[in-house]
Amino acid sequence: MTLKVLVSFVVEKDGTMTDIKVVRDPGYGMGKEAIKALKAIKTKWTPGKKGGKPVRTAYTLPIVLNVK
């Protein structure tokens, strides 16, 4: 069985992740686990650029889980 959790978040100008939200949650606690996994990432993301300057950028990320 394949479960898909869809999360959205904002990458700030400094590369940090904020406003993490679950857009589609298949249940079974998967949405909460997806948020916990994203918050555990300590490396900074590369922000979007506009006119060569970093800007806040919204992302939507599908997390696909294969459950046996």
Side-chain angles (χ1 to χ4, degrees):
M1 174 169 54
T2 302
L3 300 174
K4 186 190 289 187
V5 180
L6 196 61
V7 293
S8 67
F9 55 91
V10 174
V11 175
E12 299 292 338
K13 293 177 185 180
D14 66 356
T16 57
M17 194 179 341
T18 61
D19 298 330
I20 302 170
K21 295 177 185 158
V22 177
V23 177
R24 187 179 315 139
D25 188 351
Y28 310 105
M30 297 296 170
K32 288 181 182 179
E33 287 301 316
I35 290 173
K36 190 173 12 173
L38 287 174
K39 286 183 177 180
I41 298 173
K42 297 300 177 194
T43 56
K44 292 196 175 193
W45 291 64
T46 302
K49 291 189 178 183
K50 185 173 183 179
K53 296 182 181 182
V55 293
R56 296 179 79 224
T57 309
Y59 287 93
T60 302
L61 179 70
I63 300 173
V64 179
L65 306 160
N66 292 316
V67 181
K68 293 183 181 182

